[in-house]
Amino acid sequence: MSFSGSTIVATPIALTSAQAGRIPVIYGDGMHDDAEGLQAALDGRDFVCAGGGVVLRGPHEVLDDSRYYISKTLGGSSNTHATTAPKFYLSATYADARLLAGKATGDTLMVLGRTAQGDGGQGLFTWLAGGSTSIDDGFQLAATGGIWQRADTSYVTYEMFGAVAMTSISDVSHDSTAAINACHLAIPLPTANTKPTKVLVQGFYGITSTINFENLLGVEFIGTANFAELGSGYVWIAPHSNSTHALFIHQCRYLRMRGLRITTNSMQTARTKAMLSAICLSSDYETSIQERCTFEDVVIGNRDCYDRLGAGYMFQYGFTTQAITQTTGNNDFHLFESVRQQNVGVGWNNQHIQATGWAFRNCKTFMCDSFLSVKSSRLDFYNIEADIMGGAILIIGQDPTADSNRIYINGYVSEKNAAEFAIITGYCDLTVENGGFDGNRNPRNYGVLNPANPYFITALSNTTAIIRLINPTFYVIPPQVDFGTGSSLRHLIVKGARSNTIAIVNHRKSGQDQRIVFNWEPGGGSAGYGLTDIDWCPVQNLIYPPYSTVPNPLLHEIATPTVRLGRRNVSATVDVNSIAIGIGTIPRGTTYTVRNAIPVGLLLGVSLHINSIPVGPTSIKIGDGTTDDRWGTKPNVSGSRANPPEASLVAGFTDAGPVYNKSPLDVVLTAVGNDFTGGSSTATLTVHYIDFGQRYYNPNNSG
């Protein structure tokens, strides 16, 4: 039965028995089939139901002789009916409801609106006799002798607390900050008998101070107006504050945001003057862990083709981390899916070492500075995009001695970016599969190299960086990898793509410990490359400085000091070893002895690499104390100090051949021409020998 559009007359109307019989169905246990129509029909009118089963008495009270009690205000009626069963009340607003006391726990109240009928505050409440509340809004309304509690808080709206959606991006007439924060504070914790709360974000709400999401467990915020031009979410309508977060998420677990937008209604030319962040992920390491939050279909900042406000910045950071009680906080295992950011400084700013295990899927930054800045973490990316970016896409690490990052990317596309793909500080293991790189472009002329940011990847510190590029594609600007001025162990592994498209920059030119591994497959990476026979090789090649990128398919180089030969668990092993001994200071004198340099084994020979030995001797003999030039003579001239340094060769040995050495043996360096003058030196003595192991090779116990 529907009451929608009913014609109301001043005189009582007799309802049929069938109509009267439907009223318990309409209100029974909070269920109804046309609540709004019936509420409109009842408001301020007199009705009489046939048979006397139900009496509807205008503005005072509506009584029946079985289960229901409906009232706008109490008092003023002489009717008396049975009151032992739960009663049903009707109230126009929250204010009216606070004046209405239930008879017993379980009585039901239908409220038609918060301050006006249909303003979003309407809903069904139940009476809790003796209850009290500090909220007194939205979910709980205080009255004499108890409280009215909203019957179902699994779906709630900001309108229940007085929020009013904006009508345009420039609408500043409605500030919903207090209402939204009140709603979040009122959300109950889930229990074994309740459902997690879903907040229906039904429009775009103006805010003037931070919106707090505190200790919310399993709460889902769902935008329901995404087919409207404005969408659903939050817009900062006050002047920008460069120390203020728009949204502050603290100590939440399993929180989910879906279909929301966070933006401002104005822009800043300077990044430092923009809002501090759109979303701050904050955690107390000591008290609990904030983890497993999901951000899906979230838009931060401007939107092209809708209400874009021009160039500049809205936020310094899209997402940023913050610790409260300690210097680090837990923010683990968050998922970002289909998140788009525009006109933001850094999309994701992860600056705390406990914030780890983040996963990104189908995310994009557009017209920002950087996609990611991370201190120390483990992050996985799948199908990400960065277009028209002003700075390095990835800023990895800050502390060269303490920070450690593992970054894995599978699927990366980019367009017209002005700077590096990555700047690396500290230890880093970076893998990019199926990447399309379009960076280092001059913003004033996209067709040429940007002189301010010429490098594809830059490593700024002397800690280990492992970089893997698998099936990369490079566009307008050929990439250059800069190993930095203090390079230590570096690995660049390239599989697929064309061999000569990567240039290696090594400032110190002392990188014998650097390793570049190329593995080009037939046909290479991009269909746009005209590959020839020299552009790929069927085996892995290890390239040493000065980095010849022409592969040699006959050469297999193994970057290890020991090669172990032998059948597993069947035969004794044979280890082919190279021991490198660094030489620092050589004191004044004719000779310099390296004690016990040669171990027991089949000695193949000794070689000497010289980077720098102070001027003095014209050459240096390499001997054992008995035969001073047993392993040749090394000239101490500039031609012998090439980078990488050349070793002394077998051709200069006076030794008859490999010798069984049964006890440790010294190596003696003898100055020729002039004595050693003393001072700092940089040289490496390498001993080559074979060890016959008296053990079987067990992969689980290889010693």
Side-chain angles (χ1 to χ4, degrees), residues 169-170 235-242 261-275 300-304 307-316 340-345 366-369:
I169 193 70
S170 59
V235 56
W236 187 269
I237 59 175
H240 281 223
S241 169
N242 62 2
R261 180 186 176 199
I262 304 96
T263 188
T264 66
N265 70 348
S266 62
M267 304 288 292
Q268 294 294 325
T269 303
R271 171 177 160 182
T272 55
K273 294 183 179 180
M275 294 292 296
I300 293 177
N302 264 326
R303 298 185 306 173
D304 278 349
D307 44 36
R308 183 185 173 196
L309 299 179
Y313 297 91
M314 290 185 167
F315 301 99
Q316 297 176 48
R340 184 187 190 276
Q341 303 197 47
Q342 181 176 338
N343 294 106
V344 172
F366 178 65
M367 298 182 69
C368 301
D369 287 348

Side-chain angles (χ1 to χ4, degrees), residues 151-166:
D152 183 5
T153 57
S154 62
Y155 288 89
V156 301
T157 69
Y158 291 143
E159 283 76 7
M160 294 177 181
F161 290 81
V164 178
M166 300 171 62

Side-chain angles (χ1 to χ4, degrees), residues 35-85:
E36 293 182 359
L38 180 58
Q39 291 158 14
L42 294 181
D43 190 19
R45 306 300 178 185
D46 289 342
F47 291 84
V48 177
C49 295
V54 178
V55 180
L56 310 180
R57 295 275 184 204
H60 300 300
E61 54 191 18
V62 181
L63 306 170
D64 70 21
D65 57 1
S66 56
R67 299 170 56 189
Y68 301 95
Y69 187 115
I70 306 175
S71 180
K72 186 173 183 181
T73 58
L74 286 177
S77 172
S78 60
N79 292 322
T80 57
H81 292 275
T83 60
T84 57

Side-chain angles (χ1 to χ4, degrees), residues 582-587 610-615 676-684:
I583 298 175
T585 300
I586 298 179
I610 298 175
N611 272 5
S612 64
I613 290 180
V615 176
F676 295 112
T677 58
S680 177
S681 302
T682 305
T684 302

